[in-house]
Coordinates of all heavy atoms in Angstrom, one line a residue:
L67 N 0.4 -4.4 0.4 CA -0.3 -5.4 -0.3 C 0.1 -6.7 0.4 O 1.2 -7.1 0.4 CB 0.0 -5.4 -1.8 CG -0.8 -6.4 -2.6 CD1 -2.3 -6.2 -2.6 CD2 -0.3 -6.4 -4.1
L68 N -0.8 -7.5 0.8 CA -0.7 -8.8 1.4 C -1.0 -9.9 0.3 O -2.2 -10.0 -0.1 CB -1.5 -9.1 2.6 CG -1.4 -8.0 3.7 CD1 -2.5 -8.3 4.8 CD2 -0.1 -7.8 4.2
L69 N -0.1 -10.7 -0.1 CA -0.3 -11.7 -1.1 C -0.2 -13.0 -0.6 O 0.9 -13.4 -0.1 CB 0.7 -11.5 -2.3 CG 0.5 -10.3 -3.3 CD1 1.7 -10.1 -4.1 CD2 -0.7 -10.6 -4.1
D70 N -1.3 -13.8 -0.5 CA -1.2 -15.1 0.1 C -1.2 -16.2 -1.0 O -2.3 -16.4 -1.7 CB -2.5 -15.3 1.0 CG -2.3 -16.5 1.9 OD1 -1.3 -17.3 1.7 OD2 -3.1 -16.7 2.8
E71 N -0.2 -16.9 -1.3 CA -0.1 -18.0 -2.3 C -0.5 -17.5 -3.7 O -1.4 -18.2 -4.2 CB -0.8 -19.2 -1.7 CG -0.4 -19.7 -0.4 CD 1.0 -20.4 -0.4 OE1 1.7 -20.4 -1.5 OE2 1.4 -21.0 0.6
P72 N 0.0 -16.5 -4.2 CA -0.5 -16.1 -5.6 C -0.2 -17.0 -6.7 O -0.8 -17.0 -7.7 CB 0.2 -14.7 -5.8 CG 1.5 -14.8 -5.0 CD 1.1 -15.6 -3.7
S73 N 0.8 -17.9 -6.6 CA 1.1 -18.9 -7.6 C 0.4 -20.2 -7.4 O 0.6 -21.1 -8.4 CB 2.7 -19.1 -7.7 OG 3.1 -20.0 -6.6
M74 N -0.4 -20.3 -6.5 CA -1.0 -21.7 -6.2 C -1.9 -22.2 -7.3 O -2.7 -21.5 -7.8 CB -1.9 -21.6 -4.9 CG -2.6 -22.9 -4.6 SD -3.6 -22.8 -3.1 CE -2.5 -22.6 -1.8
G75 N -1.6 -23.4 -7.9 CA -2.4 -24.0 -8.9 C -2.2 -23.4 -10.3 O -3.0 -23.7 -11.1
L76 N -1.2 -22.5 -10.4 CA -1.0 -21.9 -11.8 C 0.0 -22.7 -12.6 O 1.0 -23.2 -12.0 CB -0.6 -20.5 -11.6 CG -1.5 -19.5 -10.9 CD1 -1.0 -18.2 -10.9 CD2 -2.9 -19.7 -11.4
A77 N -0.1 -22.6 -13.9 CA 0.8 -23.2 -14.8 C 2.1 -22.4 -14.8 O 2.1 -21.1 -14.4 CB 0.3 -23.2 -16.3
P78 N 3.3 -22.9 -15.0 CA 4.5 -22.2 -14.9 C 4.6 -20.9 -15.6 O 5.1 -19.9 -15.1 CB 5.6 -23.2 -15.5 CG 5.0 -24.6 -15.2 CD 3.5 -24.4 -15.3
N79 N 4.1 -20.8 -16.8 CA 4.1 -19.6 -17.5 C 3.3 -18.4 -16.8 O 3.7 -17.3 -16.8 CB 3.7 -19.7 -19.0 CG 2.2 -20.1 -19.1 OD1 1.7 -21.0 -18.3 ND2 1.4 -19.6 -20.0
L80 N 2.2 -18.8 -16.2 CA 1.4 -17.9 -15.4 C 2.1 -17.5 -14.2 O 1.9 -16.4 -13.7 CB 0.0 -18.5 -15.2 CG -0.9 -18.6 -16.4 CD1 -2.2 -19.3 -16.0 CD2 -1.2 -17.2 -17.0
V81 N 2.8 -18.4 -13.6 CA 3.6 -18.1 -12.4 C 4.6 -17.0 -12.7 O 4.7 -16.1 -12.0 CB 4.3 -19.4 -11.8 CG1 5.3 -18.9 -10.7 CG2 3.3 -20.3 -11.2
D82 N 5.3 -17.2 -13.9 CA 6.2 -16.2 -14.3 C 5.6 -14.8 -14.4 O 6.1 -13.7 -14.1 CB 6.8 -16.6 -15.5 CG 7.8 -17.8 -15.4 OD1 8.2 -18.0 -14.2 OD2 8.1 -18.4 -16.4
Q83 N 4.3 -14.7 -15.0 CA 3.6 -13.5 -15.2 C 3.3 -12.8 -13.9 O 3.4 -11.7 -13.7 CB 2.3 -13.8 -16.0 CG 2.5 -14.1 -17.4 CD 1.2 -14.3 -18.2 OE1 0.3 -13.6 -17.9 NE2 1.2 -15.3 -19.0
V84 N 2.8 -13.7 -12.9 CA 2.5 -13.2 -11.6 C 3.6 -12.5 -10.9 O 3.7 -11.4 -10.4 CB 1.8 -14.2 -10.7 CG1 1.7 -13.7 -9.3 CG2 0.4 -14.5 -11.3
I85 N 4.9 -13.3 -11.0 CA 6.1 -12.8 -10.3 C 6.5 -11.5 -11.0 O 6.9 -10.6 -10.3 CB 7.2 -13.9 -10.4 CG1 6.8 -15.1 -9.6 CG2 8.5 -13.3 -10.0 CD1 6.6 -14.8 -8.1
A86 N 6.4 -11.4 -12.3 CA 6.7 -10.2 -13.0 C 5.9 -9.0 -12.6 O 6.4 -7.9 -12.4 CB 6.7 -10.4 -14.5
V87 N 4.6 -9.3 -12.3 CA 3.8 -8.2 -11.9 C 4.1 -7.7 -10.5 O 4.1 -6.5 -10.2 CB 2.2 -8.7 -11.9 CG1 1.4 -7.7 -11.2 CG2 1.7 -8.8 -13.4
I88 N 4.4 -8.7 -9.6 CA 4.8 -8.3 -8.2 C 6.0 -7.4 -8.3 O 6.1 -6.5 -7.5 CB 5.0 -9.7 -7.4 CG1 3.7 -10.4 -7.2 CG2 5.6 -9.3 -6.1 CD1 3.8 -11.8 -6.6
R89 N 7.0 -7.9 -9.1 CA 8.2 -7.1 -9.2 C 7.9 -5.7 -9.7 O 8.4 -4.7 -9.2 CB 9.2 -7.8 -10.2 CG 10.7 -7.3 -10.0 CD 11.5 -7.8 -11.2 NE 11.5 -9.2 -11.2 CZ 12.4 -10.1 -10.6 NH1 13.4 -9.5 -9.9 NH2 12.4 -11.3 -10.8
S90 N 7.1 -5.6 -10.7 CA 6.7 -4.2 -11.3 C 6.0 -3.3 -10.2 O 6.2 -2.1 -10.2 CB 5.8 -4.3 -12.6 OG 4.5 -4.8 -12.2
L91 N 5.2 -4.0 -9.3 CA 4.5 -3.2 -8.3 C 5.5 -2.7 -7.3 O 5.3 -1.6 -6.8 CB 3.4 -4.1 -7.7 CG 2.1 -4.6 -8.5 CD1 1.3 -5.6 -7.8 CD2 1.4 -3.3 -8.8
K92 N 6.4 -3.5 -7.0 CA 7.5 -2.9 -6.1 C 8.2 -1.7 -6.8 O 8.5 -0.8 -6.0 CB 8.5 -4.0 -5.7 CG 9.5 -3.6 -4.7 CD 10.8 -4.4 -4.7 CE 11.8 -3.6 -3.9 NZ 13.1 -4.3 -3.8

């Protein structure tokens, strides 16, 4: 999976959600 700037323009709480999903995918 290639992820290009997944947190761009997101509020901090949504950034945390995206990072958590990336970790779970790994």
